[in-house]
Amino acid sequence: MLSQLRQRLAAGGFMRNVATLVGGAAVAQFLPLLFTPLLTRLYTPTDFGVLTQFVAWLSNLVVLATWRYDMAVVLPKEDDDAVRLMVLALLFNTALLCVLSVPLLLGGGWLAQQLGAPALAPWLGLLPLGIWLAANNQIWTNWNNRQRRYPLNAQGRVGQALAMSTVQLLAGFGKLGALGLILGQLAGQASSWLLQSRHDLRLLPRWWLTARAVSLRPLLQRYREFPLVNTPHAFVVALQDTLMVQLLTLLASAEVMGHYGLVLRVLKLPAVILGQAVSQVLYRDLAEAHGKGQPLRPLLMKAQLVLASLSLLPFAALLLWGEPLFALAFGEQWRDAGVIAAILAPSFYCMFVVAPCFMVPMVLSRQRTSLLFALLGVIVNLGTLGVVYLLGDDAHQVFRMQALAMSLYYLSYMAWIYRLCHQQEAAHA
């Protein structure tokens, strides 16, 4: 087995590509974790609460920026079609930047009041720029994925972490408060995009000519499920986290929001980024295997085994010793964040291991059913949370119910995906 693994690594196969991205993602997550004990002593839980709200809305709106045509870039057989999809994604992203900038700059204070987040009001004008930078990152991540330029994606993640942490640390010493955390977020996104796209920016005029050379209507028709189905799906998934943040904003204290934000920073976001690193490689390989009529389950199982082996010990440690670990690492005032981390560890572990499954519906054109799964997850999760909080007004009980509901959701989704793969294999046979 070890000799076969070495052969795969030497041949530049799946495991080597995964190792490249996971290595970059691991370094990218180590840097923020290294700086976080300093940041938690420079910023208050309320500052982190504002950042959590800002990132929640950014993550929700960024899925609308490209109409998900960036996800389709991996699929065409011809590079010219992929270039046209790139141009479409860039145009939609820039259009959203223009549409959002004026109302958020002029009416940010009113909107923040309506959201029950007045502390966010001064910084909502920065949200369109953050969305534009994050969407550009997604576009080039998928383009590099298509070109198998995985080192560029890994470099982008490391650059993002380094720039974000450095700016947030300097801004913390400068007493900029929540603004410093948000500026660090924007600096990280900008650095990642420039590192990933540095070989292609000079090609943009040529890409524009390629896009204009033929009608884009057949391409829009061929990949219509991405704006019509995948965009609502991704929006619903992101909205679930945003509504969770909004629920805590309305029903809990800013301090609870800050503790939850720290948990997302040191637990969920690293899990998402590492899961995405494996999924990027898997998405390209799944599309290629499906085009050749090969089974998808072996690739999927391999990716999930990689993630399960990487995450078992860290999540087990958080489950058992989350409270003392957070108090030791980040200071006594963050002890409650450790309690929240221990409660949510099982659901984050399930999310981490199941992450590759979300690539399969896009390859098999089953995004409509996947959207129904996402809607069901939102209803069950937020419905349960709302009832528990209104009856008991206990934030920890809310997190316990969220962990249970989302663990069951992820396992059910994984069972459906494997059934879908089995049906695909039977159809090819």
Side-chain angles (χ1 to χ4, degrees):
M1 182 179 295
L2 290 176
S3 63
Q4 291 178 351
L5 178 60
R6 283 195 295 268
Q7 290 173 3
R8 290 297 304 274
L9 291 173
F14 177 81
M15 292 300 295
R16 182 174 183 178
N17 295 331
V18 166
T20 299
L21 284 176
V22 169
V27 173
Q29 289 313 306
F30 173 75
L31 290 173
L33 288 176
L34 184 66
F35 284 103
T36 298
L38 290 173
L39 296 178
T40 53
R41 290 163 173 84
L42 294 171
Y43 297 96
T44 67
T46 302
D47 294 332
F48 273 95
V50 173
L51 176 67
T52 302
Q53 294 167 342
F54 183 89
V55 172
W57 286 105
L58 187 155
S59 301
N60 208 143
L61 293 173
V62 74
V63 302
L64 303 176
T66 65
W67 286 29
R68 302 296 276 182
Y69 281 117
D70 60 297
M71 296 297 296
V73 165
V74 176
L75 300 178
K77 293 183 179 179
E78 302 295 332
D79 274 349
D80 282 352
D81 283 342
V83 165
R84 294 183 182 102
L85 290 170
M86 285 278 289
V87 172
L88 278 172
L90 289 168
L91 288 175
F92 283 127
N93 184 30
T94 304
L96 185 65
L97 171 68
C98 298
V99 168
L100 288 181
S101 292
V102 174
L104 286 182
L105 283 171
L106 298 180
W110 176 86
L111 181 58
Q113 291 292 338
Q114 303 310 305
L115 295 174
L120 188 60
W123 323 125
L124 274 179
L126 296 173
L127 189 60
L129 176 61
I131 294 168
W132 186 78
L133 291 171
N136 280 342
N137 265 314
Q138 292 180 357
I139 293 169
W140 258 275
T141 293
N142 285 292
W143 174 253
N144 289 336
N145 190 12
R146 176 184 176 85
Q147 303 298 325
R148 299 189 187 277
R149 299 190 304 196
Y150 301 114
L152 283 181
N153 287 347
Q155 292 166 23
R157 294 207 181 279
V158 174
Q160 177 179 356
L162 185 60
M164 180 183 72
S165 299
T166 302
V167 171
Q168 289 179 343
L169 187 63
L170 294 176
F173 283 116
K175 306 296 183 182
L176 294 186
L179 175 61
L181 293 173
I182 292 173
L183 290 177
Q185 183 77 23
L186 299 180
Q189 294 284 3
S191 298
S192 177
W193 170 48
L194 292 174
L195 285 169
Q196 288 187 82
S197 65
R198 64 183 186 273
H199 296 310
D200 301 315
L201 292 178
R202 59 184 176 81
L203 300 177
L204 288 178
R206 187 189 308 170
W207 287 359
W208 175 249
L209 294 176
T210 300
R212 295 186 61 186
V214 299
S215 172
L216 296 177
R217 184 172 297 176
L219 206 61
L220 293 170
Q221 178 68 15
R222 189 190 317 167
Y223 298 105
R224 64 186 181 276
E225 282 206 344
F226 283 88
L228 295 179
V229 180
N230 189 269
T231 297
H233 182 189
F235 183 78
V236 166
V237 172
L239 183 64
Q240 182 170 252
D241 290 338
T242 305
L243 291 177
M244 175 68 186
V245 170
Q246 191 63 27
L247 182 67
L248 288 174
T249 301
L250 295 174
L251 299 177
S253 65
E255 187 174 355
V256 171
M257 272 297 307
H259 289 306
Y260 182 63
L262 181 64
V263 172
L264 294 181
R265 181 185 181 95
V266 303
L267 183 58
K268 183 174 182 178
L269 293 182
V272 169
I273 289 174
L274 287 170
Q276 288 175 346
V278 175
S279 298
Q280 285 173 30
V281 181
L282 180 68
Y283 185 34
R284 178 69 174 82
D285 289 354
L286 285 174
E288 186 176 3
H290 181 58
K292 296 177 180 178
Q294 298 173 348
L296 305 185
R297 280 190 296 178
L299 288 171
L300 187 58
M301 291 176 65
K302 183 185 297 184
Q304 290 190 280
L305 286 173
V306 169
L307 291 176
S309 62
L310 284 172
S311 60
L312 182 58
L313 288 179
F315 279 107
L318 282 168
L319 178 64
L320 296 173
W321 305 297
E323 182 179 355
L325 284 175
F326 268 66
L328 176 65
F330 307 121
E332 193 63 30
Q333 64 174 333
W334 297 96
R335 180 175 289 274
D336 194 53
V339 177
I340 297 171
I343 293 171
L344 294 178
S347 64
F348 286 168
Y349 178 77
C350 291
M351 176 198 66
F352 187 60
V353 175
V354 175
C357 293
F358 290 95
M359 302 293 105
V360 175
M362 289 185 286
V363 174
L364 297 182
S365 299
R366 295 296 299 271
Q367 298 185 63
R368 296 176 188 273
T369 310
S370 188
L371 173 59
L372 294 178
F373 260 97
L375 290 171
L376 177 63
V378 171
I379 293 170
V380 172
N381 185 25
L382 294 180
T384 303
L385 298 183
V387 170
V388 170
Y389 212 119
L390 290 174
L391 292 179
D393 197 31
D394 180 359
H396 289 175
Q397 187 63 22
V398 169
F399 292 126
R400 289 189 189 95
M401 293 306 299
Q402 183 192 30
L404 176 61
M406 294 313 296
S407 297
L408 293 174
Y409 166 75
Y410 289 127
L411 294 175
S412 300
Y413 189 89
M414 183 175 68
W416 172 66
I417 289 297
Y418 273 92
R419 182 170 176 268
L420 200 62
C421 291
H422 177 72
Q423 292 174 349
Q424 178 252 357
E425 293 170 21
H428 280 301

